[in-house]
C-alpha cells in the first residue's frame, strides 16, 4: 500500500483559517480583540525566528500582538514585573515567554508566575495538572498539534498501541496524557528503556521526540505503523533539517509519516493561535 505523507503545512493552514474566522466573530459579536503578548529575552537567533513567526501568525489570524524584546541583562525581577503587569491587563489574553531564557533567570519561577488563565503555552503546573485529570486547561502546543494531525488525517487512535520515544515535559509527557485521553494504549520510552527497537515495533502509532537525527530506522517500525516525527535537528555542515526518524529508510514500511520540515513543526504555532483564541473566549465570557 502506498505510504501517506501527512501534510502539516496544509493542516496547520486549515487550523489557522478556523481560528481566523472565530477571531473575527469574537470581535464582531462581542467587541473582543484577541491579544497575545510575546516576550523574548536576549538574542538567541533561533528564538528570534520563532518569535517572528509567532507575530506573523497573530497578524494572519487577526490577533493584536504585543511584543517585548528585552536585553540579555534583564533581571528576573524585571521580567516577573512585566508578567504581573500583563496578568493584570484585561486586554491581554495570552502570555508567552520564549524559552530558553538566559542562565541568570529561573525558567520555572517565570512559568509559575504566568496566570493559568493566560498560559497559552500550557507549561504552568496548573495546566499540566488539569490535563492529567481531564479538566479544561491549556495543552502544550506541539502535542496538541499532533492530535490534530492524526485526527484530520483520518488516523484512528482509540484502542491503538501508541509508543512515545522521549519523556520531556513539553512533548513526551503531555503527548502520553493526550493519547490516553483518546483511548490509545500508551507506552512512554526513554534512554533507559531496554530493547527500544522491540518496544517501538509494538506501535501502531509511533511518536519520536528524542532530539537525535535519524535515530528511528526500519528496525524500530512495525509494518503499516503511523509515524509522527517531532525532531528538528539541524545538520551543522549542510544546514539541512532532519527529524528523529530516518525518513527514507522507514518510508516503505509505514502506512503514514510526517515529513521534516512540513510535518509537526507548523502545527505548534497553529495550536498556539488556537489556545490564545480559547483564552480570549474564556476570559471575556463570550458564547461563540
Ligand atoms: N522554545 C521552544 N519551543 C517553545 C515553545 O513552544 N514555547 C516557548 N515559550 N518557548 C519555546
Amino acid at each position: 500500500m502506498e505510504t501517506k505523507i501527512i501534510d502539516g503545512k496544509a493542516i496547520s493552514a486549515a487550523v489557522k483559517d478556523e481560528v481566523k474566522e472565530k477571531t473575527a466573530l469574537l470581535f464582531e459579536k462581542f467587541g473582543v480583540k484577541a491579544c497575545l503578548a510575546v516576550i523574548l529575552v536576549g538574542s538567541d537567533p533561533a528564538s528570534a525566528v520563532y518569535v517572528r513567526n509567532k507575530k506573523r501568525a497573530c497578524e494572519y489570524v487577526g490577533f493584536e500582538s504585543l511584543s517585548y524584546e528585552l536585553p540579555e541583562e534583564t533581571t528576573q525581577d524585571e521580567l516577573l514585573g512585566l508578567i504581573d503587569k500583563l496578568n493584570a491587563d484585561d486586554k491581554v489574553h495570552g502570555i508567552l515567554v520564549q524559552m530558553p531564557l538566559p542562565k541568570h533567570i529561573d525558567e520555572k519561577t517565570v512559568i509559575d508566575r504566568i496566570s493559568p488563565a493566560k498560559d497559552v503555552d500550557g507549561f504552568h503546573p496548573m495546566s499540566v495538572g488539569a490535563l492529567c485529570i481531564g479538566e479544561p486547561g491549556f495543552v502544550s502546543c506541539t502535542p496538541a498539534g499532533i492530535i490534530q494531525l492524526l485526527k484530520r488525517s483520518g488516523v484512528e487512535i482509540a484502542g491503538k498501541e501508541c509508543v512515545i520515544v522521549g519523556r520531556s515535559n513539553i512533548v513526551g509527557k503531555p503527548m502520553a496524557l493526550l493519547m490516553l485521553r483518546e483511548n490509545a494504549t500508551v507506552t512512554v520510552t526513554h534512554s533507559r528503556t531496554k530493547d527500544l527497537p522491540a518496544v517501538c515495533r509494538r506501535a501502531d502509532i509511533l511518536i519520536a521526540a528524542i532530539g537525535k537525527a535519524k535515530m528511528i530506522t526500519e528496525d524500530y517500525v512495525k509494518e503499516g505503523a503511523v509515524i509522527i516525527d517531532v525532531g528538528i535537528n539541524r545538520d551543522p555542515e549542510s544546514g539541512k533539517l532532519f527529524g528523529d526518524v530516518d525518513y527514507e529508510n522507514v518510508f516503505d514500511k509505514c502506512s503514514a509519516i510526517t515529513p521534516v520540515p512540513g510535518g509537526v513543526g507548523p502545527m505548534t504555532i497553529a495550536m498556539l493561535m488556537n489556545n490564545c483564541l480559547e483564552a480570549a473566549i474564556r476570559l471575556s465570557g463570550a458564547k461563540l
Side-chain angles (χ1 to χ4, degrees):
M1 219 176 64
E2 200 161 307
T3 304
K4 178 188 172 100
I5 298 171
I6 298 175
D7 186 347
K9 270 196 211 160
I11 296 172
S12 71
V15 170
K16 279 190 281 186
D17 283 339
E18 288 165 21
V19 171
K20 182 177 182 167
E21 210 169 290
K22 282 195 198 155
T23 301
L25 211 57
L26 182 65
F27 184 66
E28 281 160 25
K29 284 176 97 177
F30 299 93
V32 176
K33 180 107 174 159
C35 173
L36 176 67
V38 179
I39 306 173
L40 172 64
V41 186
S43 53
D44 176 56
S47 290
V49 173
Y50 289 138
V51 164
R52 196 182 330 131
N53 289 338
K54 287 169 188 175
K55 283 193 283 192
R56 260 193 215 144
C58 283
E59 228 167 90
Y60 180 79
V61 299
F63 291 177
E64 192 85 53
S65 81
L66 301 177
S67 178
Y68 298 87
E69 283 164 30
L70 309 178
E72 182 84 20
E73 317 75 70
T74 304
T75 66
Q76 180 164 304
D77 280 346
E78 284 169 330
L79 178 56
L80 294 175
L82 174 58
I83 292 171
D84 288 343
K85 186 176 87 100
L86 296 169
N87 279 339
D89 186 340
D90 288 343
K91 287 193 290 301
V92 174
H93 306 108
I95 301 171
L96 182 140
V97 181
Q98 185 65 34
M99 305 293 169
L101 288 167
K103 284 187 188 59
H104 64 277
I105 300 179
D106 180 52
E107 289 183 353
K108 181 171 164 43
T109 305
V110 170
I111 289 168
D112 287 359
R113 194 70 158 246
I114 296 170
S115 163
K118 300 187 179 184
D119 175 36
V120 288
D121 254 332
F123 293 171
H124 193 284
M126 284 267 289
S127 307
V128 180
L131 171 63
C132 195
I133 57 174
E135 287 188 356
F138 294 110
V139 178
S140 181
C141 300
T142 300
I146 291 170
I147 296 290
Q148 289 302 312
L149 282 180
L150 291 170
K151 287 191 169 173
R152 291 173 190 243
S153 306
V155 176
E156 202 178 316
I157 304 175
K160 294 293 170 64
E161 288 282 343
C162 173
V163 175
I164 298 162
V165 190
R167 56 172 156 184
S168 69
N169 288 338
I170 294 182
V171 182
K173 283 180 203 160
M175 192 74 244
L177 293 166
L178 284 175
M179 292 303 275
L180 193 57
R181 186 194 272 184
E182 298 295 334
N183 301 308
T185 300
V186 182
T187 304
V188 182
T189 69
H190 45 79
S191 56
R192 306 280 287 271
T193 297
K194 296 215 171 83
D195 199 355
L196 183 62
V199 178
C200 289
R201 282 196 302 270
R202 299 208 296 252
D204 301 310
I205 301 169
L206 179 61
I207 302 177
I210 316 145
K212 214 167 153 189
K214 295 191 177 192
M215 193 183 109
I216 302 297
T217 55
E218 62 174 341
D219 190 32
Y220 292 67
V221 176
K222 177 167 81 176
E223 189 81 41
V226 173
I227 303 184
I228 303 292
D229 189 350
V230 189
I232 303 179
N233 309 290
R234 196 174 288 280
D235 180 49
E237 273 159 36
S238 66
K240 265 186 78 175
L241 284 185
F242 293 100
D244 292 344
V245 177
D246 190 339
Y247 187 86
E248 280 80 24
N249 185 260
V250 305
F251 191 83
D252 288 336
K253 205 167 180 187
C254 58
S255 63
I257 187 165
T258 60
V260 176
V264 174
M267 292 305 292
T268 301
I269 290 185
M271 297 316 289
L272 174 69
M273 298 298 114
N274 189 64
N275 278 353
C276 190
L277 172 65
E278 195 57 43
I281 292 170
R282 285 185 202 162
L283 284 164
S284 64
K287 297 265 182 290
L288 274 195

